[in-house]
Amino acid sequence: MTMSTPGGRRKPPTIHDVAREAGVSRGTVSRVLNGGHYVSPSAQEAVNAAIRKTGYVVNRHARSLITGRSDSVGFLLTEPQERFFEDPNFNVLLSNCTQALAAHDIPLLLMLAGTEDERRRITRYITAGHVDGVLLVSSHSGDRVAEELRAAGVPLVQCGKPMGLRSKVSYVAADDRDGARDMVRHLLSLGRRRIGVVSGPLDTPGGVDRLAGYKEILTEAGVGIDERLIVDGDYSRASGEAGAERLLAQAPDLDAMFVASDLMAQGALAALKRAGRRVPEDVSVGGFDDSAAALEATPALTTVRQPYDRISTEMVRVLLAQIGGEDPAAVILPTELVKRDST
């Protein structure tokens, strides 16, 4: 349904047109558009049918003036821009979160803040009310973005457990420690005893928990912890390659590697090949994430699968609930060991 103006142009349908078509009041239509509170199922069905028939589209700017909301959500990555393009996990999370929010007709704004100046600018933008909430996808200890957003009352959900925050922050995380335990337990079951590790960055929750899981299983198995078998990386391919080289120099008798991301494991495989070590005959290699990098690797990586689809869905669910007034919440999801050719 459209109206014609004196000049012959078609006028878009209004909320009044929807109300007339549905046979309800304008206030009922408004309540349906703002969440359906205090609206009977029959009235809501009638309004939704009228919206479809008239082709009515919400004027987001006008609604934001009334509700005080932007009707948008920020996807904030506090990493250098090149990491967004290198690491496939970020793209998967962005795509899944975008789809989950689309079901609620809410757009997602990508925000990259890898430097202190960028973080200050983005924090000012967010706290000025340009988004209703934030999905924080990467956070390091000492990074004050999450703390500042919480202090400003901005609804926030973090991917991964918070580190060093004084206030309560909602988060959704895979069980990194248990996933690492499963991987090291698997390597031990193959008869491997000199198991090196390239951990993630130790100022991140995943880096800390995956290293802790590695140590716990070796201790439980009576193998003990050899510090020469432990190096750290930053989740990049280059750091995995450099980490594997350090391990080979420090412990040339190693017979397995647990590399705390698939992208780093790709780099480790390159270093092993250059050193003349066969995988898995001489050295078994396990990764973490079950990202595209695991299947692209040669040989295909045994890895720990993070349930990115569920992580994304839960992050959106928890954030929308918080925007709606609910308290912060924490969700930890199980991982799964995926065996392939590298072990």
Side-chain angles (χ1 to χ4, degrees):
M1 174 187 295
T2 55
M3 304 291 291
S4 295
T5 65
R9 289 185 304 168
R10 295 166 68 85
K11 181 180 177 182
T14 68
I15 193 172
H16 298 286
D17 298 321
V18 174
R20 185 167 54 251
E21 179 67 31
V24 299
S25 69
R26 181 184 179 281
T28 297
V29 176
S30 179
R31 286 194 293 275
V32 170
L33 295 174
N34 287 287
H37 302 294
Y38 310 112
V39 179
S40 69
S42 59
Q44 181 148 351
E45 184 178 345
V47 170
N48 288 333
I51 289 172
R52 290 192 295 270
K53 183 173 180 180
T54 61
Y56 174 75
V57 177
V58 175
N59 183 327
R60 290 188 178 278
H61 177 66
R63 189 166 74 175
S64 69
L65 293 175
I66 297 170
T67 64
R69 292 183 179 178
S70 69
D71 282 337
S72 62
V73 165
F75 182 97
L76 177 56
L77 178 63
T78 55
E79 297 281 356
Q81 291 188 18
E82 58 269 21
R83 287 294 310 281
F84 174 74
F85 296 102
E86 180 189 29
D87 194 324
N89 298 325
F90 296 141
N91 287 281
V92 170
L93 284 168
L94 175 62
S95 176
N96 288 346
C97 288
T98 299
Q99 291 179 35
L101 283 165
H104 300 274
D105 196 26
I106 297 174
L108 184 63
L109 307 182
L110 173 61
M111 303 173 178
L112 302 178
T115 68
E116 281 299 320
D117 284 344
E118 289 171 346
R119 285 192 277 274
R120 280 193 292 270
R121 286 196 296 272
I122 290 295
T123 299
R124 285 199 301 269
Y125 179 84
I126 292 170
T127 54
H130 293 292
V131 295
D132 294 328
V134 172
L135 302 169
L136 180 60
V137 179
S138 180
S139 183
H140 299 256
S141 61
D143 180 356
R144 293 188 51 79
V145 169
E147 190 71 58
E148 290 172 3
L149 294 179
R150 285 288 296 134
V154 177
L156 171 73
V157 177
Q158 182 168 311
C159 182
K161 294 191 296 185
M163 291 187 68
L165 294 179
R166 291 185 294 275
S167 61
K168 291 183 179 180
V169 174
S170 292
Y171 69 89
V172 178
D175 195 334
D176 292 295
R177 185 180 298 233
D178 196 55
R181 288 168 59 91
D182 285 344
M183 177 59 74
V184 178
R185 193 180 288 116
H186 170 61
L187 294 172
L188 288 170
S189 75
L190 301 174
R192 309 294 182 168
R193 289 297 179 270
R194 297 288 290 164
I195 304 173
V197 62
V198 183
S199 78
L202 298 180
D203 63 346
T204 64
V208 170
D209 281 351
R210 293 172 201 180
L211 180 59
Y214 161 87
K215 289 181 175 181
E216 286 173 4
I217 291 300
L218 290 183
T219 301
E220 289 176 11
V223 174
I225 307 300
D226 184 343
E227 294 298 328
R228 294 173 298 174
L229 288 167
I230 301 174
V231 300
D232 65 307
D234 64 7
Y235 290 142
S236 70
R237 189 184 191 281
S239 75
E241 188 167 356
E245 289 175 346
R246 293 202 306 274
L247 285 176
L248 289 170
Q250 294 169 188
D253 61 335
L254 65 79
D255 57 13
M257 283 188 194
F258 167 43
V259 189
S261 83
D262 294 339
L263 198 59
M264 288 200 301
Q266 277 192 339
L269 289 172
L272 287 166
K273 183 177 181 180
R274 193 164 52 248
R277 302 293 184 93
R278 299 170 301 163
V279 177
E281 292 86 354
D282 301 325
V283 180
S284 293
V285 177
F288 204 105
D289 291 331
D290 197 27
S291 66
L295 292 174
E296 293 167 356
T298 304
L301 273 174
T302 291
T303 188
V304 176
R305 176 176 294 155
Q306 296 203 64
Y308 285 116
D309 53 346
R310 291 188 63 197
I311 290 172
S312 305
T313 300
E314 285 298 300
M315 287 180 68
V316 167
R317 181 188 65 80
V318 172
L319 181 63
L320 294 182
Q322 198 170 326
I323 291 171
E326 294 187 16
D327 291 333
V331 179
I332 298 179
L333 299 170
T335 58
E336 177 187 356
L337 180 67
V338 180
K339 299 176 185 178
R340 297 194 180 99
D341 297 338
S342 66
T343 59

